[in-house]
Amino acid sequence: MVFVHIVLFKVKPQVLNNGFEEFKARLETLRDLQITKDVVKQLKFSPPIWDTRAHGFNYGLYTIFETREDLERYKEDNDHKDFSKMIILPNVDDVLAYDMEV
């Protein structure tokens, strides 16, 4: 079994129109966090294939963890929380997080 953490973003229109490439580059720095290096086995950012089915969510994060404990460590990590507050939340209108075991 592995654990999947999916986060969908509704990137603000003003970011999409001016600064989206910078926002995407800043999102990629999530890979540099020590917690990411320690527990994330796979990480991918991507827009939806069919935006007509995405209910306005226009960018997403997909991560894989080997154990639930790794996912919980990642979720509770202070650097990860700060990353979300400083990089993600100022640039999005909405966020949807979904975790599952597969």
Side-chain angles (χ1 to χ4, degrees), residues 23-37:
F23 174 62
K24 290 192 303 186
R26 292 181 75 200
L27 283 176
E28 286 290 339
T29 66
L30 178 62
R31 297 176 192 281
D32 300 331
L33 297 182
Q34 189 60 53
I35 191 67
T36 303
K37 293 176 183 178

Side-chain angles (χ1 to χ4, degrees), residues 33 35 73-85:
L33 297 182
I35 191 67
R73 280 184 51 210
Y74 176 80
K75 182 174 81 80
E76 296 301 324
D77 182 77
N78 286 329
D79 290 336
H80 175 251
K81 288 179 182 180
D82 289 344
F83 178 90
S84 294
K85 288 177 192 171

Side-chain angles (χ1 to χ4, degrees), residues 32-101:
D32 300 331
L33 297 182
Q34 189 60 53
I35 191 67
T36 303
K37 293 176 183 178
D38 289 347
V39 299
V40 174
K41 298 306 172 196
Q42 187 177 12
L43 182 149
K44 173 77 174 152
F45 290 102
S46 180
I49 294 172
W50 295 288
D51 60 353
T52 56
R53 296 177 53 175
H55 298 277
F57 290 96
N58 48 22
Y59 210 61
L61 163 68
Y62 173 87
T63 48
I64 299 287
F65 300 84
E66 285 184 357
T67 67
R68 183 179 177 131
E69 291 78 19
D70 287 345
L71 172 58
E72 289 172 0
R73 280 184 51 210
Y74 176 80
K75 182 174 81 80
E76 296 301 324
D77 182 77
N78 286 329
D79 290 336
H80 175 251
K81 288 179 182 180
D82 289 344
F83 178 90
S84 294
K85 288 177 192 171
M86 295 178 353
I87 294 176
I88 295 173
L89 294 179
N91 293 291
V92 301
D93 285 329
D94 198 5
V95 175
L96 173 66
Y98 191 91
D99 303 301
M100 62 186 179
E101 182 178 9

Side-chain angles (χ1 to χ4, degrees), residues 11-26 58 87 90-92:
V11 179
K12 291 180 177 181
Q14 60 267 34
V15 174
L16 288 172
N17 294 329
N18 185 19
F20 189 50
E21 292 304 315
E22 179 183 346
F23 174 62
K24 290 192 303 186
R26 292 181 75 200
N58 48 22
I87 294 176
N91 293 291
V92 301

